[in-house]
Amino acid sequence: MKGLEKLQNLKAYEVKENRFVKELDSQGVILEHKKTGAKVFLLSNEDDNKVFCIGFRTPPSDSTGVPHILEHSVLCGSDKFPVKDPFVELVKGSLNTFLNAMTYPDKTVYPVASCNEKDFQNLMDVYMDAVLHPNIYKEEKIFKQEGWHYELESEEGPLTYNGVVYNEMKGVFSSPESVLDRYIQKLLYPDSCYTHESGGDPAFIPDLTYEEFLEFHKTYYHPSNSYIYLYGDMDMAEKLQWLDEAYLCRYDRKQVDSEILQQKPFKKPVEEEIFYSITEEEPEKQATYLSVNTVVGNDLDKNLYLAFQILEYTLLSAPGAPLKQALLDAGIGQDIMGGYESGILQPYFSVVAKNGEKEQKGEFLAVLKGTLRKLADQGINKKSLKAGINYYEFRYREADYGSAPKGLMYGLQSLDSWLYGGDPMLHLEYEETFKFLKEGVEKGYFEQLIKDYLLDNPFEAVITVSPKKNLTGERDEALAAKLAQYKESLSLEEIQRLIKETKELKRYQDEPSPKELLEKIPLLSREDIGRQAEELIWEETFSQGPKVIRHCVNTSGIGYLKVLFGTDKVPAKDLPYVGLLKSVLGYVDTENYSYSELTSEIHLNSGGLGLSVTSYPNLNCSENFTGVFAADIRVLYEKLDFGFEILAEIFTGSVLDDEKRLGEILNETRSRARMRIENAGHSAAVSRATSYFSPTSAFNEMTGGITYYHFLEEITKNFESRKQEVIGKLKEICRKIFTKDNLLISYTAGKDGFYNLEEAMKKLTDKLYEGGGQIYPFSWIKGNKNEGFKTSSQVNYVARCGNFKEKGFQYTGALRILKVMLSYDYLWLNIRVKGGAYGCMSGFGRSGEGYLVSYRDPNVKETNQIYEEVTEYLRNFQADDRDMTKFVIGTISDMDTPLTPSIKGARGLSAYLSGVTQEMLQEERDQVLTAGTEDIRALADLVQAMLDTESLCVIGNEEKINENKNMFNEVKNLYHG
C-alpha cells in the first residue's frame, strides 16, 4: 500500500492511530494536521477507484438553508479556478466516477472519485480551492442565483422569488413524507441544530441575507473544522504533503464552535398536528399520517447502530413483521412505514401509519405500545432476528452500492462516528458487532432494547400529518399578496433598482466565462483515454433444460441469479396484473411457509430476493421488444440449490386466495407507487410522454408507470367487488408465464460458481408448469395524449420526448456527447441557472427514443420553449479543440463508470436481449473519441425530428398547469385518492 511507510516522516501531520481494517482489506490511518487541527482519515488499499472528500461540521441556527445554499455556491468559482461554474466544467470534462456535494442536518461534504490518477489530482485541487477560497465574497450574484432573489421584469409585472435552492426545497416540501421528516427533527431536538431545516424551508429562505451567508462560510469553512478523507490505491504521503503545501499550511489553528449539542431527553412525549396539501378533488378520508418517533441513544454506540437496523427489519420491514402486521390487522393505516434514522448524533426510530384517520391516534398508540410490550415480554421470533442479522451482514460484506463507489460509502459511514468525536473506523469494523448481535438473539438483547428505548422512554414525539385541500394554493396566494404588498411599499426608484438587478443577474448568467479563465480548469487529453470499449460478458449456453446466459466474472463467491419469464403469454389488457404480481409474490403464504417465514428463510440463506417487470427494446425492429417478469436472488455458490428451490416455491406454491392479505398488499403497493411518482416526477413524466409513441414505454407504463398507478387506485377503491376477479387473474397469469418453455436464466459468477448450475436448475424447472398457450402480440393505442397532470406540488416536471429513427435518422456515439452538452451546458444554463429549476436531464437511446426533462422546475411554457430552441443552438454550435475534448472526456466518464459484478451481468443480459454487440459498443466509443464540432452540428436535424414527435407530459403545480392548459390535449388530476 503506497506511501504508508512515509507517513511518519510527514512533519505537518501527527499520526494518531494506524491499524488494519480486515473487513475492508484496508489500512486505516487517523491523523491530525498539526498547524490547523484538520482531521484526516485514510483507508489505503488496492482499489483503483480513488475517493477524496472534505467535509465540515455545519450546524444551522435557523431554517434559511444557509448550509445548503453555501454547498451550491462554493462550487461557482474560486480564486484559482475563477470560472462561474467549475463544477459543471468538471462534469463536462473529467473522468470522475463520482462528483457531487451533499448537505446533511449537521455536516456538508464534498466528495470526488476517479480511477485516473491525473484526473483525481485535478478534482482534489478544484474542490479544495472551491471550499476554502470561493468567489462568493467577490460576486453577490452567486448567492442570488443559487439561494434566492427578488425577480421583477417590469414596473407592471409581479414581484416573485426565484433561486435554485429555493425551488429545490419547494419540491422537497411538496411531499407529505418530507414534511413529516422535517417536523420529526424539529420536535425531537428543540434545543439543538436538528430543530432547523439545513436544506432550507421555502418560507424562511428569503430571510437569509448575503452578509449572514458570508459569515457562515467564514465561521465553518476553515481547515480547523474540516474532516478530510482519502481512500484507495494511491501514494497517501504524497497526497497529504500536497494538501499541506497547497492549502492547509496557509491557515492557523482557529477555535470553531461547531460542536453538535445533545438534546436533553424529554420527561414526557410531545404531540403536534401539522398539515400537507392535497388538490380539491382528492379525498380527505383515509389520508392522514400517524407517527411515533423515539430517540435511540447516540451514533457512537456501535452495537445500537447495527441492532436498530436489525430491529427495523424485524419489526417493520419484513413481510409479516409483527408491529406492522398488528397495525394493519387493527385497520390503522393502509401502509406502515418508518425505521431507524441514523447519521445524526442522536438517532431516532419511527413508526408511521399512512392513509389512516386522525381519530385513530389513540388506538394507533395503544396497538403500537401493546404490541411492543408483548414482544418485549414474550420474545421476538428468533428466526426473524437471525434472518435480519444475516441479511445485513451479507450486505456489509458484499459492499455493492451500484454505481456509487464503495470507498465513498465507507467515507460517509465513517462520519457517523468521526463527526461526533468518535473513531472513524467504529462502524466500518463490523465483525465483532455482528458476533455480539448473534449472541444477543439468545440472551434477550433485542427485547431489552425494545423496553429501554421504545417503551420506557418518554423521549419521543407523536406527530399527526393531516390533509388540507388546496393548502399549496392558499400559501401561493398569501405569498403573492405579501410580495405585492411589499412591491407597493417600494418607491419608484426602488422598483427600478429591482428591475435593474433582475436584468443584471440574467446578463451575468448569460455571459460565458472568458476563455482564459476556462483554461485554468485542468483537463486531460484524449490520449489519456483508453480506446477499447468495456467488454460485454455473456455466453449463451444450451443444456437439456432452459437457455442459460452465463456471465463469468470474479464475484468473491457470490452467485447473482436472475430468472426471466416472457410476458407475451398475457394479453395487453391484463399487463397491469403482471405488475401487481411482482408486489404479491413473496408477500403471501406459500405451500410450505407463511409469508413471514418465507422472508426469514430467504434472508437466512441468501443476500435477498427481488422481483421486477421490465422490458428490453429490439434494436432491429422498433415495434418489437422483450417484456419479462424477472426474479433476482444473490446467493453464496454453495446455496445455489436453495436459490432455485425458493423461486420454485414462490412461482408455483404461492397461495393467492387470502383476500385480507391481498387487500393489505394492494394498499401498500398503491401508497409506495405514489411516493415513487412524487419523488421522481421527471422519470414518470418521461415514461408517460414516451409511451405515446413507443411500445416498449407503453408496456412499462402499464406495468409500473402512471397507467399502472391508476390501475392500483381503481382496484383498491373497488376491492370488495373486484377481489375475486383479481385473485383469478393472478392465478391465471402464474399458470401462463411460469412455464418450462418460457424460462430464461441469467447467472453471474466466478468459474467455480458454475459447477453445480445445471443440476441446481432442476430444483426450479421440475416444478414449473407445462408450456404451451397463446402468444399475444403487444397492442396499444399510439398517439400523443400530451397530458398535464395536476398535483398539489409547488413545482413541475416538464418532459418532451420523441423518436428520431422513425424519421430515418440513425443512432451515433455523438448523441452521448450531446447528452452531456445539453444536460450541463444548454439546458443547465437556461433551465437551471436562469430558470431556477433544480435539475435538467436529457437522453438519446439506440432505439431512437430521446427525451428532454426538467426537475423541480418553477416554469412550464418557458421550459418547453427552451426545448424548442435546442436545434438552433446545435446549428450554431461552435467549440474549439479544447472544448470538444472536454465534452468527449465527460462523455467517456459516463461510459466508463466502474461496474460491480452484478451490474456486469445485467449489462451482458441487456445486450443479449436487445441485440447490442461488442462491435456496436466499439463503434460508439470510436465515434465519441473522434467527434468534432461538425458531428454535433449534424445532430440538429436529428433532434428536430425528435421534437417533431411533439410528445409532451407535465406533472406539477395545479395552478401552473391550468395557467398553461392550451399546451395540452388533456388536463387532469394525477391522484384520485
Side-chain angles (χ1 to χ4, degrees):
M1 297 185 186
K2 300 175 190 170
L4 287 185
E5 70 283 351
K6 297 184 284 184
L7 290 179
Q8 296 290 351
N9 300 326
L10 291 176
K11 295 180 180 178
Y13 299 88
E14 178 186 356
V15 176
K16 298 281 191 178
E17 187 152 2
N18 186 342
R19 68 177 187 266
F20 185 68
V21 183
K22 64 178 179 178
E23 290 88 342
L24 312 184
D25 194 24
S26 303
Q27 192 68 32
V29 187
I30 303 169
L31 307 97
E32 183 176 294
H33 186 252
K34 293 176 183 177
K35 189 165 186 276
T36 64
K39 300 168 185 63
V40 181
F41 175 43
L42 316 176
L43 279 175
S44 180
N45 51 51
E46 302 302 316
D47 191 343
D48 69 346
N49 197 359
K50 296 171 276 292
V51 178
F52 163 78
C53 178
I54 181 166
F56 303 92
R57 276 203 304 220
T58 51
S61 57
D62 56 38
S63 292
T64 58
V66 58
H68 188 190
I69 296 169
L70 200 51
E71 174 230 305
H72 282 239
S73 300
V74 300
L75 296 173
C76 291
S78 63
D79 286 357
K80 194 172 178 182
F81 307 105
V83 300
K84 289 198 296 186
D85 215 332
F87 170 77
V88 173
E89 293 302 309
L90 287 173
V91 172
K92 287 190 287 190
S94 155
L95 288 174
N96 73 85
T97 56
F98 190 89
L99 181 75
N100 213 331
M102 293 91 88
T103 303
Y104 293 92
D106 54 14
K107 60 183 173 285
T108 310
V109 296
Y110 297 85
V112 297
S114 180
C115 296
N116 181 288
E117 169 61 33
K118 184 177 173 184
D119 186 50
F120 182 69
Q121 182 63 43
N122 292 343
L123 294 171
M124 286 178 62
D125 198 11
V126 173
Y127 261 47
M128 283 298 293
D129 203 60
V131 297
L132 295 177
H133 315 135
N135 275 353
I136 57 174
Y137 295 94
K138 303 171 187 173
E139 183 53 81
E140 186 179 355
K141 294 185 184 73
I142 294 172
F143 166 71
K144 290 181 175 181
Q145 172 182 291
E146 297 300 321
W148 78 277
H149 62 271
Y150 287 115
E151 202 157 280
L152 185 62
E153 302 281 358
S154 65
E155 289 181 21
E156 302 77 28
L159 182 66
T160 60
Y161 292 136
N162 204 352
V164 173
V165 169
Y166 178 73
N167 289 317
E168 176 188 352
M169 296 310 294
K170 280 175 75 175
V172 169
F173 276 62
S174 293
S175 156
E177 288 81 15
S178 295
V179 172
L180 174 58
D181 289 345
R182 156 88 181 95
Y183 269 85
I184 290 171
Q185 295 197 27
K186 179 179 173 66
L187 288 183
L188 283 178
Y189 313 106
D191 306 314
S192 86
C193 65
Y194 301 125
T195 198
H196 306 296
E197 175 53 63
S198 63
D201 185 328
F204 299 107
I205 288 173
D207 293 340
L208 181 64
T209 68
Y210 178 54
E211 291 71 29
E212 290 167 337
F213 165 77
L214 296 180
E215 188 59 36
F216 195 90
H217 183 270
K218 286 176 192 168
T219 302
Y220 296 113
Y221 278 61
H222 189 279
S224 299
N225 188 45
S226 70
Y227 296 77
I228 296 172
Y229 168 75
L230 284 162
Y231 166 94
D233 182 13
M234 68 188 89
D235 187 326
M236 292 292 185
E238 178 190 281
K239 292 287 180 256
L240 290 182
Q241 186 169 341
W242 173 83
L243 279 167
D244 172 57
E245 293 174 355
Y247 290 100
L248 300 181
C249 71
R250 305 179 193 178
Y251 293 84
D252 295 319
R253 190 179 290 252
K254 173 184 172 184
Q255 194 64 39
V256 180
D257 183 13
S258 66
E259 184 182 358
I260 311 301
L261 300 177
Q262 291 257 7
Q263 173 62 49
K264 189 177 177 183
F266 300 163
K267 293 182 178 177
K268 63 178 183 178
V270 296
E271 294 193 18
E272 187 158 330
E273 180 183 14
I274 57 175
F275 297 91
Y276 74 98
S277 183
I278 58 174
T279 61
E280 290 288 354
E281 288 78 9
E282 288 179 81
E284 293 172 299
K285 189 173 174 56
Q286 291 188 317
T288 294
Y289 292 66
L290 303 165
S291 75
V292 173
N293 314 277
T294 314
V295 176
V296 176
N298 68 57
D299 246 11
L300 295 176
D301 187 321
K302 66 177 183 178
N303 293 331
L304 273 187
Y305 181 87
L306 252 176
F308 264 87
Q309 294 178 54
I310 311 303
L311 275 177
E312 174 186 332
Y313 167 91
T314 307
L315 298 178
L316 283 175
S317 302
L323 190 52
K324 177 178 182 176
Q325 197 61 48
L327 290 165
L328 291 174
D329 288 346
I332 302 168
Q334 297 174 345
D335 184 9
I336 309 302
M337 307 181 300
Y340 177 62
E341 296 293 333
S342 59
I344 55 178
L345 177 58
Q346 294 167 283
Y348 60 91
F349 189 85
S350 289
V351 182
V352 182
K354 180 181 176 183
N355 296 339
E357 300 289 356
K358 182 165 56 173
E359 295 73 25
Q360 292 179 304
K361 184 177 74 171
E363 189 183 0
F364 168 67
L365 294 171
V367 171
L368 187 148
K369 296 294 184 180
T371 303
L372 289 174
R373 181 65 64 189
K374 182 178 177 183
L375 290 167
D377 292 344
Q378 298 179 17
I380 307 169
N381 183 295
K382 287 184 171 53
K383 191 171 184 181
S384 179
L385 282 171
K386 290 176 181 176
I389 292 171
N390 188 72
Y391 171 69
Y392 276 99
E393 187 171 12
F394 195 105
R395 286 178 59 182
Y396 268 66
R397 291 187 186 283
E398 184 186 26
D400 185 347
Y401 300 101
S403 61
K406 63 184 178 182
L408 165 70
M409 304 310 288
Y410 295 150
L412 294 177
Q413 195 172 17
S414 73
L415 286 166
D416 285 355
S417 50
W418 195 21
L419 196 78
Y420 312 118
D423 179 351
M425 291 175 266
L426 182 72
H427 300 310
L428 301 177
E429 297 174 315
Y430 53 78
E431 282 194 357
E432 284 299 315
T433 309
F434 276 113
K435 181 182 176 185
F436 170 83
L437 295 178
K438 288 172 186 175
E439 293 170 354
V441 172
E442 307 299 334
K443 297 177 179 177
Y445 172 71
F446 289 92
E447 287 81 358
Q448 193 61 46
L449 290 184
I450 290 176
K451 289 177 184 174
D452 292 345
Y453 291 104
L454 302 183
L455 284 170
D456 304 332
N457 178 12
F459 196 173
E460 71 181 20
V462 179
I463 304 175
T464 304
V465 191
S466 299
K468 189 172 182 183
K469 287 182 183 289
N470 201 29
L471 184 60
T472 297
E474 289 177 13
R475 288 173 174 165
D476 286 348
E477 285 177 18
L479 177 59
K482 173 187 171 184
L483 287 169
Q485 186 178 7
Y486 174 65
K487 184 186 172 190
E488 279 186 25
S489 73
L490 300 175
S491 65
L492 180 60
E493 185 182 351
E494 289 170 323
I495 286 174
Q496 288 173 341
R497 192 187 76 242
L498 283 179
I499 295 170
K500 182 185 176 192
E501 288 175 356
T502 299
K503 288 178 179 174
E504 285 175 348
L505 178 59
K506 291 189 183 300
R507 198 176 305 122
Y508 166 78
Q509 292 167 332
D510 272 331
E511 191 177 330
S513 293
K515 183 177 173 58
E516 62 271 18
L517 297 186
L518 286 169
E519 288 178 354
K520 292 190 175 192
I521 297 288
L523 187 68
L524 302 175
S525 68
R526 298 197 195 199
E527 288 67 41
D528 292 316
I529 303 171
R531 309 291 302 184
Q532 200 68 30
E534 174 88 22
E535 187 179 351
L536 288 170
I537 301 173
W538 66 265
E539 177 190 1
E540 185 177 9
T541 62
F542 296 89
S543 61
Q544 293 179 344
K547 187 186 295 184
V548 178
I549 310 302
R550 296 163 50 123
H551 316 276
C552 191
V553 58
N554 179 28
T555 62
S556 303
I558 298 171
Y560 297 93
L561 174 63
K562 190 183 195 85
V563 301
L564 306 96
F565 297 91
T567 57
D568 56 2
K569 294 198 171 187
V570 179
K573 65 181 177 63
D574 288 340
L575 284 172
Y577 288 100
V578 178
L580 177 59
L581 188 63
K582 77 175 182 293
S583 298
V584 171
L585 296 184
Y587 292 83
V588 293
D589 295 348
T590 66
E591 290 174 0
N592 296 301
Y593 302 100
S594 70
Y595 57 88
S596 58
E597 291 169 342
L598 178 70
T599 304
S600 293
E601 198 68 20
I602 289 168
H603 289 137
L604 279 169
N605 292 282
S606 77
L609 181 150
L611 302 177
S612 61
V613 180
T614 190
S615 60
Y616 298 88
N618 183 332
L619 297 181
N620 297 314
C621 178
S622 61
E623 292 302 308
N624 294 336
F625 65 90
T626 302
V628 296
F629 185 104
D632 294 83
I633 188 167
R634 43 192 69 195
V635 291
L636 299 176
Y637 295 162
E638 60 268 25
K639 291 283 189 178
L640 187 56
D641 274 6
F642 169 81
F644 283 109
E645 283 171 357
I646 208 71
L647 291 175
E649 178 77 17
I650 289 170
F651 294 146
T652 65
S654 289
V655 179
L656 299 170
D657 302 287
D658 186 338
E659 296 174 0
K660 175 180 175 294
R661 181 63 188 146
L662 183 57
E664 292 169 356
I665 292 170
L666 271 164
N667 283 328
E668 179 178 310
T669 303
R670 184 195 62 169
S671 166
R672 303 295 167 94
R674 175 165 174 163
M675 286 169 60
R676 279 196 301 275
I677 293 173
E678 288 173 339
N679 292 329
H682 61 307
S683 298
V686 167
S687 174
R688 184 70 168 195
T690 311
S691 75
Y692 303 156
F693 58 84
S694 161
T696 312
S697 288
F699 172 88
N700 295 338
E701 264 293 294
M702 292 177 187
T703 56
I706 291 174
T707 304
Y708 175 63
Y709 175 74
H710 289 158
F711 161 80
L712 292 173
E713 277 190 332
E714 199 275 330
I715 290 288
T716 50
K717 183 180 178 182
N718 301 294
F719 182 64
E720 283 306 311
S721 63
R722 295 195 57 183
K723 57 190 176 186
Q724 286 305 315
E725 175 195 348
V726 174
I727 289 168
K729 285 290 185 186
L730 294 177
K731 288 182 176 180
E732 178 188 328
I733 288 167
C734 285
R735 288 191 297 271
K736 283 182 174 180
I737 67 174
F738 299 140
T739 63
K740 295 175 184 177
D741 65 335
N742 194 35
L743 171 64
L744 173 68
I745 293 174
S746 174
Y747 185 54
T748 305
K751 194 174 180 181
D752 294 349
F754 289 95
Y755 291 145
N756 187 42
L757 178 61
E758 196 162 329
E759 194 61 34
M761 289 189 318
K762 295 176 184 176
K763 304 285 187 183
L764 172 61
T765 54
D766 288 352
K767 294 283 185 67
L768 292 177
Y769 301 110
E770 291 303 321
Q774 185 177 346
I775 299 295
Y776 296 89
F778 180 73
S779 62
W780 99 110
I781 299 172
K782 187 174 182 178
N784 282 343
K785 295 179 183 176
N786 287 13
E787 297 151 301
F789 286 106
K790 298 185 292 184
T791 71
S792 58
S793 173
Q794 300 176 65
V795 290
N796 310 290
Y797 304 90
V798 184
R800 183 75 180 269
C801 305
N803 189 303
F804 55 83
K805 265 195 175 179
E806 289 183 351
K807 305 287 174 58
F809 293 92
Q810 294 302 308
Y811 178 83
T812 166
L815 287 166
R816 295 292 294 256
I817 300 175
L818 181 61
K819 175 184 176 180
V820 174
M821 285 174 46
L822 292 181
S823 298
Y824 292 102
D825 193 275
Y826 175 78
L827 295 181
W828 179 278
L829 175 64
N830 289 288
I831 291 176
R832 188 185 191 277
V833 173
K834 292 159 70 175
Y838 179 47
C840 48
M841 303 89 171
S842 63
F844 307 89
R846 291 182 182 276
S847 62
E849 296 171 10
Y851 68 87
L852 307 169
V853 68
S854 63
Y855 181 76
R856 292 179 181 165
D857 188 348
N859 302 309
V860 173
K861 182 176 69 175
E862 298 85 351
T863 295
N864 190 51
Q865 185 59 38
I866 289 163
Y867 298 158
E868 290 280 356
E869 294 166 4
V870 169
T871 49
E872 192 65 22
Y873 161 77
L874 292 175
R875 289 195 175 100
N876 298 308
F877 178 74
Q878 296 288 339
D880 60 19
D881 189 56
R882 187 180 192 278
D883 282 339
M884 275 309 302
T885 296
K886 178 174 62 182
F887 285 126
V888 166
I889 292 170
T891 304
I892 292 293
S893 168
D894 189 44
M895 296 168 72
D896 284 1
T897 301
L899 306 177
T900 63
S902 61
I903 293 177
K904 286 181 180 178
R907 179 174 177 264
L909 175 66
S910 178
Y912 167 77
L913 289 173
S914 299
V916 174
T917 65
Q918 192 68 40
E919 291 73 25
M920 290 164 70
L921 294 178
Q922 190 60 55
E923 181 185 28
E924 176 189 54
R925 191 177 186 89
D926 292 342
Q927 288 168 341
V928 169
L929 288 172
T930 59
T933 52
E934 67 283 357
D935 297 293
I936 302 304
R937 286 195 292 270
L939 297 175
D941 290 340
L942 180 151
V943 173
Q944 187 60 56
M946 186 201 90
L947 290 169
D948 286 345
T949 307
E950 295 188 334
S951 296
L952 171 73
C953 177
V954 178
I955 298 172
N957 179 266
E958 184 173 15
E959 184 181 331
K960 205 74 177 176
I961 286 179
N962 284 333
E963 186 183 304
N964 293 284
K965 62 184 178 184
N966 61 325
M967 293 175 60
F968 309 105
N969 295 338
E970 300 179 55
V971 170
K972 49 193 164 184
N973 287 301
L974 179 55
Y975 308 122
H976 308 99

